[in-house]
Amino acid sequence: MYGQRPDASEPTSTASIPILHYSIEAADATPRTHRSLTLGHYTALQSAACCLLAVGATFGTLAFTQLFVSGPAVYPFSIVAPGPPLLKPGDAVQGRSAHRSIRNYMAQTATPAQTEADRILQDLKLMYPPVFKFSRYFDQPYIENVVQKYGPSAKKRIAQVMQWRIRNKVDMLPKGQPRLSADLFFWHGQDNQQRPVLYLRPGGMDMVNYDPAKTAYTLMLSIEAGIKAMPPGVTEFTIVIDTSGVGPLHFNPVFIKPIVQIAVEGYADRIHEVIVGPTNSLVNRLWTFIDSLLPAEFRQKVILSSTPMAVIKQKLDSVPSENLF
């Protein structure tokens, strides 16, 4: 078998062993004598060559370690992130101990939120491997933000979001299904903290021929596209709900509950703020019903205003050209 030495107990045919031929000059300088290396000679040469390679690799590794790890002038980590040096001059670091030193350095410089977020991320990858194969939703900055807000309950909240995404197959939404008009759910601009802004215009929807599945599909597809386009380090977005045109048909629970469920169960930790307006007596009554479906922490994110344009001019960097409010 390839890679195994022949057993000494088994008969070995010289015809099957490659023989290396070479010539030397005899001392008496008469005819040239031809000699052949035996199997023992061949094995000895092979062993000697392996030993030389091993010695060379060892000295090369020691030289590389001395030059790039133990040298007093080379500490690349101190340039990227201020903090204690990875190694002190004179430290003898070889092999696995060098990797342990790097891990220890990263652990020393990480914040508690980063350490906890990394642990949660690794646990969730083991619990829900199919989700991480398709999803970029659960990135490190998002999990760190949830940890900072909710502390010990962060892992439970993130797991609930993941289970909701699995049930609704959010990461495998088909792209070609019919959806609502693009002027009903759209992204425009940012708030003053670079969070993207999603505009919802329920007053423009056809409530007579209302399709709950199409509405939910369009909303989730819009939110997912916006999250993927977020700038680095941004984990949340702001929602502006234009209530112009909202009428009695919008009081239908079939319309309200799926949208509330998507916001609360799927994206509560991604939604920073919800600006709703213009308000009137009808909108206030409608919102009283919606408010009963919201958890207390989500209610604190909602701003009801009879003059929403003044609010968004204060909080957002721009206003879309569409006729809002």
Side-chain angles (χ1 to χ4, degrees):
M1 182 178 292
Y2 181 79
Q4 294 183 350
R5 298 178 60 183
D7 192 338
S9 63
E10 297 177 0
T12 306
S13 171
T14 57
S16 63
I17 301 175
I19 303 298
L20 177 66
H21 291 275
Y22 71 103
S23 299
I24 60 172
E25 289 291 337
D28 55 3
T30 50
R32 177 169 294 181
T33 305
H34 295 278
R35 298 180 182 177
S36 297
L37 287 178
T38 65
L39 178 61
H41 294 150
Y42 179 77
T43 304
L45 286 173
Q46 188 180 36
S47 300
C50 291
C51 289
L52 288 174
L53 288 174
V55 171
T58 301
F59 278 103
T61 302
L62 291 175
F64 180 87
T65 303
Q66 179 66 27
L67 179 60
F68 291 102
V69 178
S70 300
V74 180
Y75 292 113
F77 297 95
S78 62
I79 298 175
V80 177
L86 177 63
L87 300 174
K88 298 186 294 295
D91 286 350
V93 178
Q94 297 178 8
R96 294 182 179 178
S97 59
H99 296 285
R100 283 195 296 269
S101 298
I102 294 174
R103 288 197 301 268
N104 292 339
Y105 172 83
M106 299 303 293
Q108 291 171 7
T109 57
T111 65
Q114 290 173 332
T115 303
E116 179 65 12
D118 185 66
R119 186 181 67 81
I120 291 175
L121 189 61
Q122 297 307 317
D123 289 348
L124 294 177
K125 283 182 178 179
L126 293 175
M127 294 168 61
Y128 306 98
V131 176
F132 284 91
K133 182 178 180 181
F134 300 103
S135 177
R136 294 187 300 171
Y137 185 90
F138 300 95
D139 57 11
Q140 186 84 10
Y142 161 71
I143 296 179
E144 287 179 19
N145 184 47
V146 178
V147 170
Q148 290 174 348
K149 285 185 176 181
Y150 302 103
S153 63
K155 183 176 180 179
K156 181 180 178 180
R157 293 181 65 92
I158 295 171
Q160 289 173 344
V161 173
M162 183 170 290
Q163 291 165 4
W164 177 85
R165 295 178 70 87
I166 293 173
R167 287 196 307 270
N168 293 278
K169 300 180 181 179
V170 179
D171 294 300
M172 293 179 284
L173 289 173
K175 305 300 181 183
Q177 289 188 1
R179 64 181 76 176
L180 299 179
S181 173
D183 63 344
L184 297 178
F185 302 154
F186 63 92
W187 295 89
H188 177 85
Q190 301 173 334
D191 66 9
N192 49 23
Q193 297 297 322
Q194 293 188 316
R195 303 181 191 94
V197 182
L198 175 63
Y199 287 82
L200 309 182
R201 307 181 72 186
M205 299 174 63
D206 181 5
M207 298 305 297
V208 176
N209 301 304
Y210 176 69
D211 187 339
K214 184 189 293 187
T215 302
Y217 170 77
T218 305
L219 181 57
M220 287 191 292
L221 208 61
S222 300
I223 293 176
E224 291 294 311
I227 290 174
K228 290 178 182 178
M230 284 181 175
V234 177
T235 63
E236 299 176 327
F237 61 92
T238 294
I239 295 179
V240 175
I241 301 179
D242 177 8
T243 60
S244 301
V246 169
L249 292 179
H250 290 84
F251 279 80
N252 188 348
V254 176
F255 163 69
I256 296 173
K257 288 185 176 180
I259 295 179
V260 171
Q261 185 180 39
I262 290 173
V264 172
E265 296 186 19
Y267 302 100
D269 298 326
R270 290 281 191 179
I271 297 173
H272 171 70
E273 203 166 51
V274 182
I275 303 171
V276 182
T279 57
N280 52 39
S281 59
L282 182 64
V283 171
N284 288 335
R285 288 200 302 271
L286 177 60
W287 195 260
T288 300
F289 172 69
I290 296 175
D291 193 69
S292 65
L293 304 175
L294 300 176
E297 62 188 36
F298 197 96
R299 292 190 203 118
Q300 298 176 0
K301 301 180 179 185
V302 178
I303 300 175
L304 295 173
S305 176
S306 59
T307 57
M309 185 62 74
V311 177
I312 66 174
K313 284 183 177 179
Q314 180 184 1
K315 292 179 172 289
L316 311 184
D317 65 350
S318 66
V319 179
S321 58
E322 285 82 355
N323 295 322
L324 294 174
F325 315 118

